[in-house]
């Protein structure tokens, strides 16, 4: 009898979950697509958020902002949870937002996990797909990339390493130095344990990528972190190192923690920062 009750309860929960998922209304200008990754031999889920008048303005080409989610999120996180009015912002600012599923990858090509080649996917394969299938400004002056938490690491990791692809890059509450957190967020599955692979961890953290930035090909950079965030100290360290190296960047701190409420606010500032730097037709 107890087993029957448990099964009945489980089925009821499952049915409620399906019903709840069906009730989620996705605006018509958010396109749920899959983009092929040859490097990972799989299709990756992506949300593409278009201006509502995209189909009417046949001659217009649009800048693109790539938004990366944090650990535990997916391609829906930005549009459904973090910034539910993303569809309206695409129309207001006449910009395309692209939100890929980054799994738990930290947006590396992981040396210890051949299934994770998300640096190649986002910086090359996804870019090529979006530029081929949508009317984009298909050069670095029409592209920006940012994200929160793991996605903040990804925004700077990809922006710093591919300045020929992204003209602007940013981070919100980013894990910009991963080494103080060797047991967290499945990073060891991609990099190996920290104690035995220090050099690998050193070479896969944002704060050690600054030498790749050169004045002749420097992306515009914006970094934001709340003062109560557990990543605040590593963001402060990155900011100070960039000041020491005389790397131009905008650095913002304000009261706040590691929350979607904070990122909902922070992304408005980052969008405004990118819009000023985009090359329009």
């Amino acid at each position: 009898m107890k087993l029957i009750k448990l099964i009945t309860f489980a089925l009821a929960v499952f049915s409620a979950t399906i019903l709840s998922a069906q009730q989620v209304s996705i605006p018509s200008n958010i396109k749920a697509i899959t983009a092929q990754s040859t490097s990972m031999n799989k299709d990756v889920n992506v949300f593409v958020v278009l201006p509502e008048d995209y189909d009417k303005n046949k001659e217009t080409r649009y800048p693109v902002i790539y938004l990366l989610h944090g650990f535990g999120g997916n391609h829906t996180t930005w549009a459904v949870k973090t910034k539910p009015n993303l569809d309206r912002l695409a129309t207001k600012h006449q910009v395309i937002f692209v939100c890929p599923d980054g799994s738990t990858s930290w947006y590396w090509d992981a040396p210890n996990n051949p299934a994770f080649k998300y640096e190649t996917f986002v910086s090359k394969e996804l870019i090529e797909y979006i530029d081929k299938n949508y009317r984009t400004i298909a050069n670095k002056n029409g592209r920006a990339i940012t994200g929160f938490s793991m996605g903040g690491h990804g925004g700077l990791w990809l922006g710093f390493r591919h300045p020929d692809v992204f003209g602007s890059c940013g981070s919100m509450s980013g894990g910009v130095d991963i080494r103080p957190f060797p047991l967290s967020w499945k990073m060891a599955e991609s990099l190996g344990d920290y104690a035995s692979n220090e050099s690998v961890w050193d070479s896969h953290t944002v704060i050690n990528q600054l030498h790749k930035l050169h004045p002749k090909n420097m992306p515009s950079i914006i970094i934001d972190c709340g003062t109560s965030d557990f990543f605040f100290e590593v963001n402060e360290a990155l900011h100070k190192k960039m000041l020491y190296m005389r790397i131009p960047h905008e650095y913002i701190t304000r009261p706040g923690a590691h929350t979607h409420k904070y990122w909902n606010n922070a992304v408005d500032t980052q969008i405004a920062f990118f819009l000023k730097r985009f090359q329009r037709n």
Side-chain angles (χ1 to χ4, degrees):
M1 183 64 69
K2 288 184 178 179
L3 179 60
I4 292 174
K5 288 183 178 179
L6 285 172
I7 293 173
T8 303
F9 175 76
L11 288 173
V13 170
F14 178 76
S15 299
T17 301
I18 295 298
L19 180 61
S20 176
Q22 290 174 340
Q23 290 174 342
V24 174
S25 178
I26 303 299
S28 61
N29 59 321
I30 297 181
K31 311 300 180 183
I33 66 163
T34 58
Q36 184 181 22
S37 172
T38 303
S39 65
M40 295 188 288
N41 192 31
K42 67 178 182 180
D43 290 338
V44 179
N45 291 320
V46 182
F47 263 8
V48 178
V49 187
L50 301 170
E52 287 184 2
D53 52 359
Y54 177 87
D55 290 331
K56 296 179 181 178
N57 300 330
K58 300 294 186 181
E59 303 301 318
T60 302
R61 291 192 171 272
Y62 300 87
V64 184
I65 299 176
Y66 289 80
L67 295 176
L68 307 181
H69 64 78
F71 186 88
N74 59 36
H75 63 294
T76 71
T77 302
W78 269 105
V80 173
K81 185 173 185 179
T82 309
K83 199 68 177 176
N85 65 334
L86 201 60
D87 60 308
R88 297 195 296 276
L89 292 178
T91 303
K92 176 182 177 180
H93 298 305
Q94 292 293 283
V95 66
I96 296 172
F97 294 106
V98 176
C99 309
D101 187 345
S103 187
T104 58
S105 68
W106 285 78
Y107 304 96
W108 301 305
D109 284 355
N112 283 13
N113 188 348
F116 278 3
K117 294 188 180 295
Y118 282 88
E119 178 174 356
T120 295
F121 172 68
V122 176
S123 67
K124 185 176 188 298
E125 295 168 338
L126 181 58
I127 297 290
E128 291 175 355
Y129 179 91
I130 295 298
D131 286 346
K132 179 180 179 180
N133 289 278
Y134 299 93
R135 296 192 312 275
T136 65
I137 298 172
N139 61 65
K140 69 176 186 178
N141 296 318
R143 292 192 205 101
I145 188 166
T146 189
F148 64 81
S149 194
M150 179 185 81
H153 174 279
L156 297 184
W157 175 263
L158 296 172
F160 289 2
R161 292 168 62 84
H162 301 278
D164 55 324
V165 176
F166 301 104
S168 301
C169 61
S171 170
M172 290 163 275
S173 308
V176 296
D177 189 345
I178 60 173
R179 294 168 298 177
F181 312 95
L183 302 179
S184 301
W185 308 301
K186 296 187 178 181
M187 292 186 292
E189 293 182 9
S190 293
L191 305 180
D193 68 281
Y194 180 72
S196 303
N197 299 275
E198 285 191 37
S199 62
V200 177
W201 284 68
D202 288 344
S203 63
H204 283 79
T205 193
V206 162
I207 198 169
N208 286 341
Q209 300 300 309
L210 297 179
H211 65 283
K212 294 184 177 294
L213 297 172
H214 299 284
K216 291 183 179 180
N217 195 25
M218 181 82 66
S220 299
I221 303 166
I222 181 169
I223 301 167
D224 188 315
C225 192
T227 54
S228 297
D229 198 295
F230 52 79
F231 282 144
F232 181 66
E233 289 186 7
V234 295
N235 276 267
E236 283 279 284
L238 176 63
H239 168 57
K240 291 175 182 178
K241 187 172 181 179
M242 293 175 77
L243 288 176
Y244 178 78
M245 296 177 68
R246 298 184 180 180
I247 296 173
H249 64 290
E250 187 162 322
Y251 181 61
I252 301 167
T253 65
R254 52 178 169 261
H258 205 78
T259 65
H260 289 277
K261 180 180 179 180
Y262 186 90
W263 305 320
N264 179 290
N265 182 49
V267 74
D268 290 332
T269 303
Q270 299 222 345
I271 291 170
F273 178 88
F274 299 143
L275 289 173
K276 289 182 179 180
R277 289 155 177 83
F278 282 143
Q279 172 187 306
R280 299 276 183 169
N281 288 352

